[in-house]
Amino acid sequence: MSANIYHNRKAQWLAYIGLFCLLALVPALFDSPFLLNQLARYAVFAMLAVSVSLVWGYGGILSLGQGIAFGLAAYGMGMTMQMQFQDPVSDPVPSFMLTNDLSTLPLLWEPFWSTPIGLALTIAVPTIFFIGFGAMMFQARVAGVFVAIMTLAMLAAWYAMAYDMQPFTSGFNGISPPMPFEFAGVSIDPYSPTAYLICVGFLAALTLSAKLLMQSKFGLIVQAIRDDPERVRFLGYNVAYYQVIVFAISGFIAACGGLCWVMVVQYVSPTSLELTLSVSAVIWAAVGGRLSLLGAILGAYLVNGLQSYMGDELQDVWMIVLGSIFIGVVLFLPRGLVGLIEDALGYFTGKSETETSGVAIERAV
Amino acid sequence: MLRLVDVTSYYGKTPILHGINIDLKKGECLCVIGRNGVGKTTLMQTVMGLTTRIDGKISIDGEEMTQRSTAERAIAGLGYVPQGRRIFGKFTVRENILLGTFARQGIKAQIPEICLELFPYLRENLDKKAAFLSGGQLQQLAIARALATDPKILLLDEPTEGIQPNIVEDIYHTLVRLNKNIGITLVLTEQHIKIAKSLSDKFIIMDTGRLVHSGTSEELTDDVVNTYLSI
Amino acid sequence: MTITRRSLIKRSSALALALSTPAIFRPSSARAQPWISKNGTIKLGVLFSQSGPLAVVENDSTQVVLFAIDEINANGGVAGMQVEPVVIDAKSDVKVYSEKISQLILSDRVISTIGGYTSASRRAVAPFVMARDHLFYYPTCYEGRECTQNVICTGPLANQHSQDLIPFMVQNFGKRVYFVGSNYIWPKESNKVARVWLEKVGGEVLGEDYVPIGGSEFAPIFNKIRQANPDFIFSTLIGDSDVAMHKQFLSEGFKADKMPIASLTTGEIEVRAMGAEAGAGHFLSAPYFQALDTPTNNRFVEKYLGSKYGGGGVTHYNMEETYLAVYFWKAGLEKALAQTGDIEAITPRMIRDASGGVTIGDEISPEGKVWIDPDNFNMWLRPKIGQCQGDGQFKIIKVADQHVGPNPFEIYPDRGVCKADGLHTPAGAIQKGVL
Amino acid sequence: MSVTDFWTPFELNSFLNALFIGLSIASIWLIAAVGLTIIYGTMGVINMAHGELIMLGAYTTYVLQTFFYIPFLLCLPLVFIIVSIFGLFIERTIIRRLYNRPLDTLLATWGLSLILIQGVRVIFGTAPKYVSIPSWLNFQVSLGFLHLPGFRLFIILATAALIFATWYIAYRTTWGIRVRAVMADPDMASSFGIDSNRIYSITFAYGAGLAGVAGALFGGLKTLLPDMGSGYIVEAFLVVVVGGTQLLGSIFSSIILGELASIFSYFTNDTFARFVLFTLIVIFLRFRPQGLITEGMKRR
């Protein structure tokens, strides 16, 4: 059983490190600000896909609400960047508020004067929300489809909120901070290698930590819960506790994605909280392979890359192609594209692929 | 009538039954004996086509059944009284029996007289919700429902389990009548050795998914029982 | 720069690998290239949605830009060079707008971009447009109260819309008004401006309701309207909601002659979508109508609808404003060229600076003479009021006596005045890039 | 400001009218959700493409009206049949392979919805289409201060008729017995010769047909755009889940949700009403994930 190199932990770590090294080398190889910015966006999408892979592939919780964490963080970052632009004395209130009949800065916005506090809130608020929301769901033993529906309803509620609270969020139009993000006195141009490397750095750090975590005892229990929550419960584990933690970690990752997103696009609007984005993240993870963090990353890069670079003739039918790919993956490749890689590696290096693939689902990579 | 040749049956990828051979003639009554969890119910479900995969051959009246769906088997003449009855509680008695008629050839949606004749209680309570019936009444309903399919072979999984003794007797007589008078082939699993012995023509004993002993009911001696069924 | 880098090195060894290579310290070589090269063509970005919900309107915008470019190229191009449109489908997704604007600026190196229909798309591209000192033409009505140095708007501002419409409606139908709009900034701003005009003529707002963009359930709102019984409804609904409201207006039993809808949005294309029956009798304030009977417009309508781009079957104000944007761009570019003399030296910013005061006369502009305000770079135009007829076309009831100037901060005088170099606040400071 | 600016003062007649309108909204939610209830309740299939089936219904009506000059009333049964056939096709090609994998049906049907939206866009273009409703429906019902447009009344009646038909089929025909048997215990049902695959196919087709009729009716209220269906899917799902995936439950939940939506938007505005409503639903599901009505339904 040992032989398929796909299941070899050393080989896996090599593959992860190799991928991130490759990504980190991009600025050295291509001198194109546009490409860097675009790839930085893909890295952000990859973070979202990783968060989906973690919560769904490993935790067995299909959340359609990853956009909540992403969107809340995006607003936090947007507010931080907007306040970096405002001047406390001469121009303390963002322009869109003045035209929404707010003459003083709302209390909600006050903490964002300070960049460190703003950043901390950007990450902490979504994570804490996910802890609370997760605790509410999982302690009630909500599972499966009902988690999907509840996260969907929660997402729709947040969307309506961001949309409606126009004086605080600028509503549908969104907030576009006029200046790039500034940290420790350095302005981070969204097109610069710095911005790109920050995104890739976040992606690498989050993915590798998540992988480490999933190989730990905690991760094994999480995966056991995915396969059979009742059995784990009978063994005396607090299933809800593990589910809440893995849900919160996925929220944390998505929040980091939201933070990086606004750094590279300098814009935040309720579209971050749209259902489409959250479901797209699920699609990326599923196409690449939700049982593997690496697969999710590949899925995000691949789908978005195809979308951007497909010829104009195909743009018309792109959604049809995407939909078909997705249906095909669900029907025939439940392990996604990395499932194919696994089978191929198994074919060359290991035993018969049918045997290994059966095991692979239980022993996700 | 019912023939199983080297049947192995699976739940998921795990084999539950191993190499079962049965040959039953028309009008015979076969009793499947064994301790709990040895595969008696699985055998019934295998014959009915309710397991994931079956290797080997199953035929009814010479007709190949192995690859047929459950519904097709029911139409071909298999009636099924499952363990625990599995009556549709939200349905009325009438609707429950009507369900059986869907497997009939020819006239449907009409309750065959035999079902009500055997169980007068059901005739009087046709519009009662099945959920309100007692255990024995439910068993009667389950048998009536299976009879409505006009079966050639009736599979009964623990027909006397959890039923008060006086009704057990009723059911025993009903089964005798179905088998001896009407000529329906019976396969039943039974814990009561006494009932098994007096009702059936043949028996098989199962253990951990395998057929370990078989014979005519006369051969079902205390020795055999002690050898295979003692704890 | 170094501080960030150092701290990053600590974080990840993978990053250190990349940082050790010198390439990233190279200055971007692209900057030295001219925007327009002498032996090439002039590239113009066209960034509208050809798919998704916004395509309803924006598809026509793409078509009319291509039509105008064809027209310009057939007449000798700009400064003797041919114009090459770089058309990108923004898929009705602000993420795509924000991604593709950088592609247009950095990869395709278009000298300017025309695009957008919603304020959200304008705001999504604005940071990049400003950071790269690009020039973006936003060819439709908007709320104003922005003062950037890189956006030229060729549609009417909120103040230009209602200054004639509100008095006209009050005079003809009565003083009691109900406001209905889509739930975002432009309708809210437009309503604020409309209130100002309403107060001047002694009108009264009975209620104000907003539905989500795309929302189509108007029963609760019509319930309130029935209760308030206004003399007319002032609508700033966009897209689907606008169409749904007009259809339900009919089925709720309201009559256009008793309680007409005065709209800033319901043009020919919307009427086509709702059916002329639902549109008939209501009013629209816009600078342009298909029915405008001038030689230039008749020629424009006939030529456009006859061309391969005219599949939509109607012309409307949004389309005409987009058409003007192309000609404003041409005029601005030519003026900038006249000032510098060297086409390779032209930058997007030069075109913008040269555009102040640029005029397009009757002979080209279907709506009549228009020009760009040299201070805030929005358009001087003559708003018109039309009433929709049974055939889906508008009858022009009133044309403003004279051109009305754009005033992005009209109802926020204490914010300051928008000038070419930024927002001049009352305190004397100059704010740049006010969004 | 959206909350405070126009907090509509309470006024009895108007408020009663709002309650009345709530019923009208409820009928729309219900008719959008009824097909979904049947499909989900019977088969455990989460059909994310349900909104697109509604959209197909609307476009089919448009085609029938515009190119075949078929009167509106006659369109309704035709749309039902056409969309049912399409539903049958979907069931045979995609859904059938995913029984017992409810989360996967959710994903696959999401993919399907992308295909349908873009497919319709490619065929019909981006310009909006509209369905014209017969002029005899342009009347208004006034009962004192209560007021209802004729077309709304028509939708309420059509919804009631479809619900009744569905109830009749389920509880008064042998076909209904089969469907309910498969719902309750597929294995036992097949032991009585009921081909559950066939039942699933036809149930799915029936649910799809109902969605088609809903689309035909909605066409009279709003514009036809390829993505019009996505606006209904969230509400429809909430109706189904809050109701407990049963016909009766869906009726109750759509009435409750429709009334709440109407009352909230009476006092505040539509967007804020959605926020409050969705949050309430999340909290409700936390305490009653099984929904309003749960009588013996077997969950998958």
Side-chain angles (χ1 to χ4, degrees):
Chain A
M1 211 58 211
S2 62
N4 189 348
I5 195 169
Y6 183 85
H7 298 127
N8 181 313
R9 276 201 182 168
K10 269 186 196 152
Q12 288 170 11
W13 281 98
L14 270 178
Y16 277 82
I17 306 250
L19 174 80
F20 293 130
C21 288
L22 203 68
L23 287 176
L25 274 174
V26 167
L29 301 175
F30 301 97
D31 179 27
S32 158
F34 167 67
L35 185 75
L36 283 187
N37 183 264
Q38 194 175 41
L39 289 177
R41 288 161 192 246
Y42 293 178
V44 170
F45 292 147
M47 284 181 227
L48 257 184
V50 165
S51 87
V52 171
S53 168
L54 194 69
V55 75
W56 179 36
Y58 288 84
I61 302 159
L62 177 54
S63 155
L64 297 180
Q66 296 307 97
I68 300 173
F70 184 87
L72 289 182
Y75 271 100
M77 185 65 173
M79 288 152 87
T80 310
M81 285 168 69
Q82 182 71 42
M83 292 321 285
Q84 287 184 339
F85 174 77
Q86 303 306 130
D87 184 275
V89 183
S90 69
D91 182 22
V93 185
S95 173
F96 74 85
M97 288 184 187
L98 293 171
T99 45
N100 276 296
D101 301 327
L102 285 182
S103 48
T104 52
L105 195 69
L107 208 58
L108 175 69
W109 277 67
E110 285 289 347
F112 293 89
W113 278 119
S114 149
T115 300
I117 295 179
L119 289 180
L121 285 175
T122 297
I123 298 298
V125 169
T127 311
I128 291 169
F129 178 77
F130 265 51
I131 293 175
F133 186 39
M136 170 182 151
M137 286 192 297
F138 300 125
Q139 278 178 358
R141 297 197 187 173
V142 177
V145 171
F146 292 88
V147 174
I149 302 274
M150 279 175 81
T151 48
L152 181 110
M154 201 67 237
L155 182 71
W158 276 109
Y159 176 79
M161 194 66 180
Y163 190 110
D164 191 54
M165 291 289 116
Q166 205 163 290
F168 303 93
T169 64
S170 188
F172 177 73
N173 273 14
I175 303 167
S176 23
M179 300 295 286
F181 180 58
E182 208 181 288
F183 192 74
V186 179
S187 166
I188 303 171
D189 180 358
Y191 293 91
S192 63
T194 318
Y196 172 79
L197 288 176
I198 290 174
C199 291
V200 170
F202 259 105
L203 176 65
L206 292 169
T207 311
L208 296 177
S209 323
K211 179 164 173 52
L212 212 56
L213 185 70
M214 285 301 117
Q215 286 179 353
S216 69
K217 184 183 172 216
F218 175 87
L220 295 178
I221 295 170
V222 165
Q223 290 170 64
I225 291 173
R226 168 194 67 198
D227 296 335
D228 192 343
E230 284 308 313
R231 190 181 297 174
V232 179
R233 192 168 285 131
F234 287 139
L235 288 174
Y237 290 100
N238 184 347
V239 168
Y241 166 80
Y242 287 91
Q243 287 179 318
V244 171
I245 299 286
V246 76
F247 188 61
I249 293 174
S250 86
F252 172 80
I253 296 176
C256 293
L259 185 152
C260 292
W261 174 252
V262 179
M263 186 181 71
V264 294
V265 303
Q266 267 183 263
Y267 178 66
V268 51
S269 78
T271 44
S272 308
L273 291 160
E274 262 180 1
L275 179 60
T276 322
L277 180 71
S278 295
V279 177
S280 297
V282 172
I283 293 186
W284 303 328
V287 167
R290 63 187 161 104
L291 296 171
S292 153
L293 300 174
L294 191 71
I297 294 173
L298 291 178
Y301 274 89
L302 196 71
V303 174
N304 285 293
L306 272 179
Q307 185 155 14
S308 296
Y309 287 96
M310 203 138 78
D312 281 344
E313 331 68 74
L314 278 178
Q315 287 291 4
D316 257 3
V317 291
W318 162 247
M319 294 303 265
I320 297 181
V321 173
L322 183 65
S324 313
I325 291 176
F326 193 52
I327 293 177
V329 165
V330 171
L331 289 183
F332 306 113
L333 285 177
R335 287 169 295 138
L337 292 176
V338 292
L340 285 180
I341 297 176
E342 180 187 356
D343 289 351
L345 289 177
Y347 183 77
F348 287 116
T349 64
K351 294 169 69 172
S352 76
E353 67 270 39
T354 43
E355 278 304 312
T356 41
S357 60
V359 172
I361 297 208
E362 276 114 63
R363 193 147 46 98
V365 183
Chain B
M1 191 77 202
L2 176 69
R3 184 193 276 268
L4 277 71
V5 183
D6 213 11
V7 167
T8 301
S9 180
Y10 300 82
Y11 275 134
K13 286 182 173 172
T14 327
I16 306 289
L17 291 186
H18 307 269
I20 305 284
N21 288 291
I22 291 174
D23 190 358
L24 201 60
K25 295 198 178 54
K26 185 167 165 45
E28 280 186 327
C29 175
L30 173 73
C31 196
V32 182
I33 308 169
R35 287 190 292 266
N36 278 332
V38 296
K40 289 175 297 184
T41 297
T42 307
L43 177 64
M44 295 296 199
Q45 292 179 336
T46 304
V47 175
M48 222 39 231
L50 292 169
T51 52
T52 327
R53 196 179 107 205
I54 298 167
D55 288 346
K57 270 194 170 164
I58 299 175
S59 62
I60 297 171
D61 244 353
E63 205 178 336
E64 179 65 36
M65 283 289 141
T66 323
Q67 297 309 320
R68 303 278 189 89
S69 72
T70 306
E72 287 168 322
R73 292 177 198 214
I75 293 168
L78 277 176
Y80 184 34
V81 180
Q83 188 173 25
R85 275 83 71 177
R86 290 168 80 173
I87 292 294
F88 295 86
K90 285 166 75 180
F91 288 33
T92 60
V93 170
R94 182 196 306 277
E95 286 173 330
N96 264 295
I97 303 177
L98 272 177
L99 269 179
T101 66
F102 296 143
R104 279 174 96 85
Q105 317 271 13
I107 310 160
K108 300 190 179 182
Q110 209 174 11
I111 297 178
E113 187 51 33
I114 176 87
C115 305
L116 303 179
E117 189 196 317
L118 283 173
F119 308 108
Y121 175 82
L122 298 182
R123 190 198 294 278
E124 290 152 22
N125 293 282
L126 274 178
D127 291 315
K128 199 167 177 176
K129 277 256 158 55
F132 299 121
L133 268 54
S134 73
Q137 292 158 349
L138 284 173
Q139 190 63 49
Q140 293 182 345
L141 179 55
I143 295 174
R145 188 175 63 173
L147 278 178
T149 67
D150 192 16
K152 295 176 192 162
I153 303 166
L154 195 55
L155 309 174
L156 299 118
D157 201 350
E158 306 283 5
T160 57
E161 186 189 37
I163 291 172
Q164 56 212 70
N166 58 332
I167 304 202
V168 168
E169 201 152 312
D170 276 2
I171 288 176
Y172 171 77
H173 289 302
T174 308
L175 294 183
V176 169
R177 190 171 158 201
L178 291 175
N179 185 232
K180 307 292 184 239
N181 299 7
I182 305 178
I184 298 175
T185 312
L186 295 185
V187 179
L188 68 152
T189 63
E190 189 51 77
Q191 303 272 14
H192 295 87
I193 300 298
K194 248 169 130 183
I195 296 182
K197 203 167 166 173
S198 63
L199 191 63
S200 61
D201 306 308
K202 291 176 171 178
F203 73 97
I204 56 174
I205 298 177
M206 295 185 66
D207 198 5
T208 56
R210 286 166 214 280
L211 200 159
V212 290
H213 194 80
S214 64
T216 61
S217 53
E218 291 83 52
E219 290 164 352
L220 185 60
T221 57
D222 289 352
D223 272 1
V224 172
V225 171
N226 288 337
T227 314
Y228 293 104
L229 300 175
S230 59
I231 299 161
Chain C
M1 213 63 174
T2 42
I3 299 167
T4 324
R5 289 229 171 91
R6 290 233 176 90
S7 57
L8 275 173
I9 291 169
K10 282 182 205 152
R11 261 187 235 160
S12 159
S13 59
L15 285 175
L17 196 73
L19 289 164
S20 63
T21 57
I24 65 158
F25 297 106
R26 282 204 310 256
S28 178
S29 57
R31 300 237 172 93
Q33 283 172 19
W35 285 93
I36 304 172
S37 106
K38 269 184 189 130
N39 32 19
T41 51
I42 303 178
K43 285 186 181 174
L44 178 65
V46 183
L47 183 57
F48 293 102
S49 305
Q50 286 156 275
S51 55
L54 291 175
V56 175
V57 174
E58 296 194 21
N59 204 25
D60 280 353
S61 307
T62 313
Q63 298 303 319
V64 82
V65 169
L66 297 179
F67 171 76
I69 290 176
D70 271 7
E71 214 173 55
I72 289 170
N73 282 341
N75 291 326
V78 178
M81 293 175 73
Q82 293 283 294
V83 181
E84 181 195 340
V86 181
V87 183
I88 287 183
D89 177 9
K91 301 191 179 78
S92 304
D93 182 348
V94 290
K95 290 199 291 298
V96 179
Y97 279 102
S98 127
E99 179 185 340
K100 293 303 180 182
I101 189 68
S102 51
Q103 179 184 334
L104 285 169
I105 300 173
L106 296 169
S107 288
D108 297 322
R109 291 191 61 78
V110 299
I111 182 84
S112 303
T113 303
I114 298 181
Y117 171 64
T118 59
S119 298
S121 55
R122 184 186 69 252
R123 292 181 68 94
V125 302
F128 294 105
V129 168
M130 297 195 311
R132 301 284 146 170
D133 222 354
H134 191 61
L135 177 56
F136 187 75
Y137 286 86
Y138 180 68
T140 191
C141 31
Y142 88 115
E143 62 272 13
R145 67 134 185 85
E146 286 180 11
C147 191
T148 70
Q149 283 65 64
N150 305 87
V151 178
I152 291 178
C153 172
T154 62
L157 288 191
N159 73 307
Q160 294 166 305
H161 260 325
S162 43
Q163 92 168 58
D164 277 354
L165 182 64
I166 296 291
F168 171 83
M169 294 303 289
V170 168
Q171 201 175 356
N172 287 287
F173 295 94
K175 293 182 169 179
R176 305 163 70 246
V177 197
Y178 204 99
F179 286 180
V180 181
S182 289
N183 194 349
Y184 74 112
I185 287 183
W186 176 74
K188 291 190 174 178
E189 286 296 304
S190 299
N191 283 345
K192 272 189 209 163
V193 177
R195 265 172 197 273
V196 173
W197 286 102
L198 201 59
E199 271 162 31
K200 286 186 187 167
V201 290
E204 177 194 358
V205 183
L206 300 180
E208 188 170 347
D209 261 303
Y210 296 97
V211 291
I213 292 173
S216 59
E217 181 56 82
F218 284 91
I221 288 176
F222 279 124
N223 178 29
K224 293 188 210 174
I225 289 180
R226 185 171 287 110
Q227 181 197 354
N229 193 26
D231 296 321
F232 68 97
I233 297 170
F234 181 68
S235 157
T236 41
L237 292 164
I238 61 161
D240 297 10
S241 307
D242 190 24
V243 176
M245 200 263 267
H246 278 80
K247 293 184 87 165
Q248 294 180 30
F249 179 90
L250 265 196
S251 69
E252 288 273 349
F254 293 107
K255 297 280 183 287
D257 52 346
K258 299 267 168 50
M259 189 199 291
I261 303 170
S263 167
L264 301 186
T265 49
T266 319
E268 289 86 350
I269 189 173
E270 282 84 5
V271 172
R272 187 185 63 188
M274 70 183 68
E277 188 198 1
H282 299 300
F283 294 86
L284 168 71
S285 167
Y288 173 83
F289 291 93
Q290 182 176 348
L292 212 56
D293 190 17
T294 65
T296 310
N297 183 43
N298 290 338
R299 187 163 40 84
F300 169 70
V301 171
E302 188 185 332
K303 211 176 144 195
Y304 177 75
L305 295 183
S307 73
K308 63 178 170 179
Y309 304 109
V314 289
T315 62
H316 50 94
Y317 66 89
N318 186 65
M319 172 190 271
E320 191 258 2
E321 286 152 12
T322 313
Y323 178 76
L324 289 181
V326 184
Y327 276 93
F328 272 123
W329 169 74
K330 173 178 184 277
L333 178 54
E334 282 170 347
K335 191 170 156 199
L337 182 60
Q339 286 167 356
T340 56
D342 178 10
I343 190 124
E344 295 205 341
I346 302 266
T347 64
R349 182 54 180 268
M350 282 178 190
I351 303 179
R352 185 265 180 183
D353 290 342
S355 289
V358 161
T359 305
I360 293 184
D362 295 343
E363 72 287 355
I364 290 176
S365 166
E367 70 178 68
K369 184 180 161 191
V370 285
W371 66 89
I372 291 179
D373 186 278
D375 282 338
N376 58 43
F377 288 79
N378 294 291
M379 213 163 62
W380 283 75
L381 45 81
R382 286 168 79 176
K384 301 160 185 74
I385 297 170
Q387 185 179 29
C388 187
Q389 307 296 304
D391 60 353
Q393 286 296 328
F394 284 78
K395 184 177 158 203
I396 290 126
I397 308 272
K398 186 175 191 305
V399 179
D401 308 333
Q402 54 195 5
H403 281 78
V404 179
N407 188 354
F409 289 89
E410 182 183 50
I411 50 175
Y412 305 101
D414 44 340
R415 298 281 313 276
V417 184
C418 184
K419 301 271 189 195
D421 55 348
L423 183 67
H424 292 233
T425 63
I430 299 175
Q431 292 178 349
K432 291 193 181 300
V434 176
L435 276 179
Chain D
M1 71 178 257
S2 35
V3 195
T4 49
D5 247 20
F6 269 91
W7 184 274
T8 312
F10 185 82
E11 204 270 321
L12 185 67
N13 283 1
S14 191
F15 183 76
L16 288 177
N17 233 330
L19 291 182
F20 201 43
I21 285 162
L23 280 185
S24 172
I25 296 176
S27 72
I28 287 182
W29 287 27
L30 180 57
I31 200 167
V34 62
L36 203 63
T37 312
I38 290 166
I39 290 171
Y40 182 48
T42 312
M43 315 162 68
V45 167
I46 316 253
N47 181 18
M48 291 298 273
H50 190 76
E52 279 57 50
L53 294 175
I54 292 177
M55 178 270 289
L56 281 184
Y59 270 86
T60 311
T61 318
Y62 161 76
V63 169
L64 290 175
Q65 273 191 343
T66 317
F67 299 107
F68 298 98
Y69 308 105
I70 294 173
F72 183 72
L73 273 190
L74 196 57
C75 283
L76 296 179
L78 285 176
V79 166
F80 179 85
I81 293 166
I82 293 167
V83 180
S84 292
I85 293 170
F86 184 75
L88 200 61
F89 171 74
I90 297 174
E91 199 276 342
R92 288 281 158 89
T93 47
I94 299 172
I95 312 288
R96 172 154 297 187
R97 300 162 199 272
L98 296 172
Y99 289 135
N100 305 322
R101 287 160 65 188
L103 287 180
D104 284 349
T105 59
L106 188 156
L107 299 172
T109 49
W110 178 270
L112 179 68
S113 76
L114 295 183
I115 296 177
L116 292 179
I117 292 175
Q118 191 62 29
V120 167
R121 196 171 277 145
V122 168
I123 296 170
F124 292 96
T126 50
K129 307 281 182 254
Y130 63 96
V131 166
S132 53
I133 51 174
S135 50
W136 57 266
L137 278 174
N138 268 334
F139 64 94
Q140 285 78 37
V141 185
S142 291
L143 300 168
F145 55 86
L146 295 179
H147 191 96
L148 197 67
F151 189 62
R152 292 284 188 159
L153 188 67
F154 180 73
I155 292 181
I156 293 176
L157 293 178
T159 308
L162 287 177
I163 298 286
F164 178 77
T166 307
W167 173 84
Y168 188 86
I169 292 171
Y171 290 94
R172 288 290 179 272
T173 63
T174 56
W175 182 251
I177 297 179
R178 286 168 210 242
V179 175
R180 286 186 294 136
V182 170
M183 262 172 88
D185 190 340
D187 280 356
M188 278 318 292
S190 60
S191 306
F192 302 117
I194 299 171
D195 182 349
S196 48
N197 277 340
R198 205 161 143 248
I199 298 284
Y200 286 152
S201 291
I202 294 180
T203 309
F204 193 88
Y206 182 76
L210 290 181
V213 175
L217 294 172
F218 296 163
L221 291 175
K222 62 179 289 178
T223 351
L224 273 53
L225 286 168
D227 51 3
M228 65 184 275
S230 50
Y232 294 105
I233 193 71
V234 175
E235 277 93 340
F237 261 112
L238 295 179
V239 166
V240 173
V241 174
V242 170
T245 67
Q246 284 203 336
L247 205 54
L248 192 64
S250 289
I251 296 173
F252 280 129
S253 67
S254 61
I255 290 176
I256 291 171
L257 295 179
E259 286 294 353
L260 285 178
S262 177
I263 291 168
F264 286 141
S265 47
Y266 174 78
F267 283 117
T268 68
N269 75 63
D270 214 22
T271 326
F272 192 69
R274 285 169 72 88
F275 169 73
V276 177
L277 203 55
F278 290 155
T279 312
L280 283 181
I281 288 170
V282 169
I283 294 168
F284 171 79
L285 288 176
R286 154 68 177 81
F287 291 103
R288 247 190 112 75
Q290 69 273 42
L292 281 174
I293 293 186
T294 48
E295 198 192 338
M297 152 84 189
K298 193 181 161 207
R299 279 204 191 289
R300 307 196 182 204

